[in-house]
Amino acid sequence: MRHWISVLEWTPAEMADLIASARRIKAGKAPEAARLRDRILTLVFFNPSLRTRTSFEAAMLRHGGHSICLDVGGNTWRLEHRDGVVMNGDCAEHIREAAPVLSRYGDALAVRTFAGLRDADEDAADRVIRAFARFATVPVINMESASEHPCQGLGDWLTVEEKLGAARGRRFTVTWAPQVKGLPMAVPHSAVLAAAAAGMHVTVAHPPGYDLNERILAQARAWCAAAGTGLTVTHDQAAACAGADVVYVKSWGSAALYGRPEAQAESFQKHADWLVRRRHLGSHALLMHCLPVRRNVVIADDALEDPRCIVVDQAENRMWAQAAILARLLPERAV
Ligand code: CP
């Protein structure tokens, strides 16, 4: 049984097949979409969402399936994931029971967790979603974990393919941007991995001290090398954006400042001039962001109002990419 937790467990060729499937599903020409019919997807959220929740529910409904949405600590019990703990705190239920129980009701489990933003190694281990995968008996889908947002990455790849004809050989720049509070690295990790797997030239720009996870970068470098492209990391935002075909904007926190919110806020202030404006798009770059975006903190109005801003197309393509993932993971029915 395959899970969609980390793209490090998938090959670029397999992901390219998912992109082809997403395009067929979007065009209404995909027999594989029938796999969603009469199926039940259980969505488990540890954090809020607008796009992820709605796009998964819409993907299921549009193809004859159903979804059940649980907000952990809201409409369901708080969940423990650690082994061997005395559960005398806030968590009334363990994933050891919750995951197999939910597996009896539905055909796949989709889970959103967030980074703790206290310990980068702990976040990289992605223990909560890994616990679901360990105890579930149905496929588990990552709806954004501490370390990756692979559904976002796949939807972004689909969007670039649609807008530019082919992603391969294009210049894809991921630029850091300021924020008001620390955020995880899951989205930039997945943007870099998807761009590398798609065969793009990848540049990552961020201030000193905002390094992404080295294991993620190493995998992206390997995929770039296999495609005959490369991955560059720079602290020069203007140079990184110059000549880019895509400027992909995302804020993330500094691992060195985890647990120090005041220092993190000061650092964001110090780098407020990394705000992305229309001029960063140069002559022809498309502007991408996963949303939600804080206007005039992360990206200026002039860039978000530019016709080259494709953030809404990106958000739509989450639905088609996720339908392709579900069609790939849900087992075929016996006839
Ligand atoms: N991009 C994204 O995952 O959006 P939500 O947090 O609203 O789901």
Side-chain angles (χ1 to χ4, degrees):
M1 183 174 65
R2 291 294 288 277
H3 301 297
W4 178 259
I5 293 178
S6 167
V7 297
L8 274 57
E9 294 154 3
W10 291 69
T11 66
E14 287 176 320
M15 287 185 266
D17 285 345
L18 288 172
I19 295 293
S21 174
R23 295 190 82 153
R24 282 194 301 273
I25 293 171
K26 189 170 180 178
K29 296 175 182 167
E32 66 267 36
R35 291 219 189 160
L36 277 61
R37 193 181 309 136
D38 296 332
R39 290 291 180 51
I40 296 173
L41 172 66
T42 307
L43 305 163
V44 181
F45 283 94
F46 286 76
N47 290 88
S49 161
L50 187 148
R51 278 145 292 277
T52 303
R53 173 180 179 158
T54 318
S55 57
F56 266 108
E57 292 206 16
M60 292 303 289
L61 287 169
R62 279 174 181 273
H63 298 101
H66 309 268
S67 60
I68 298 167
C69 192
L70 302 178
D71 293 312
V72 176
N75 64 5
T76 192
W77 312 114
R78 285 190 195 281
L79 296 174
E80 178 59 67
H81 71 279
R82 296 167 297 170
D83 288 333
V85 293
V86 177
M87 287 174 52
N88 57 2
D90 287 345
C91 297
E93 178 145 24
H94 203 287
I95 290 172
R96 280 177 176 266
E97 284 78 45
V101 166
L102 294 175
S103 300
R104 299 279 180 102
Y105 301 146
D107 299 288
L109 259 175
V111 180
R112 166 170 282 195
T113 67
F114 244 35
L117 302 179
R118 286 182 293 274
D119 177 332
D121 291 337
E122 191 62 24
D123 286 344
D126 253 342
R127 296 193 200 284
V128 176
I129 197 162
R130 291 289 171 195
F132 271 96
R134 192 169 150 210
F135 299 112
T137 56
V138 295
V140 173
I141 296 170
N142 183 343
M143 296 196 293
E144 187 175 359
S145 67
S147 182
E148 288 183 57
H149 196 347
C151 294
Q152 183 71 54
L154 202 72
D156 294 341
W157 179 349
L158 172 62
T159 308
V160 173
E161 290 267 337
E162 282 183 347
K163 297 291 177 186
L164 297 178
R168 183 167 290 274
R170 299 293 190 162
R171 295 188 56 188
F172 187 91
T173 291
V174 177
T175 177
W176 181 92
Q179 252 293 340
V180 296
K181 60 175 185 168
L183 286 179
M185 300 179 190
V187 169
H189 283 168
S190 289
V192 166
L193 287 167
M200 292 194 264
H201 298 276
V202 184
T203 302
V204 183
H206 59 71
Y210 283 83
D211 305 64
L212 296 176
N213 179 281
E214 191 44 51
R215 184 165 168 253
I216 298 282
L217 292 179
Q219 180 63 76
R221 279 195 193 93
W223 283 340
C224 283
T229 62
L231 185 147
T232 306
V233 179
T234 175
H235 301 319
D236 186 337
Q237 186 190 39
C241 292
D245 296 305
V246 177
V247 171
Y248 193 106
V249 187
K250 187 67 183 85
S251 312
W252 66 89
S254 165
L257 301 177
Y258 283 177
R260 297 167 57 200
E262 285 171 14
Q264 179 62 85
E266 268 176 40
S267 177
F268 284 139
Q269 276 296 323
K270 181 179 163 197
H271 299 296
D273 62 345
W274 280 67
L275 169 74
V276 173
R277 301 177 185 277
R278 182 188 283 141
R279 64 178 156 78
H280 290 100
L281 305 181
S283 60
H284 69 279
L286 299 171
L287 174 66
M288 298 182 75
H289 187 283
C290 65
L291 302 180
V293 63
R294 288 180 185 262
R295 282 173 171 260
N296 303 310
V297 173
V298 179
I299 305 177
D301 282 340
D302 69 353
L304 285 166
E305 299 306 325
D306 191 281
R308 291 170 292 164
C309 172
I310 56 171
V311 296
V312 175
D313 301 292
Q314 268 181 274
E316 179 195 335
N317 279 337
R318 291 284 307 278
M319 179 171 62
W320 305 116
Q322 289 155 197
I325 293 163
L326 286 161
R328 172 70 179 76
L329 293 182
L330 289 168
E332 261 181 295
R333 294 178 180 87
V335 283

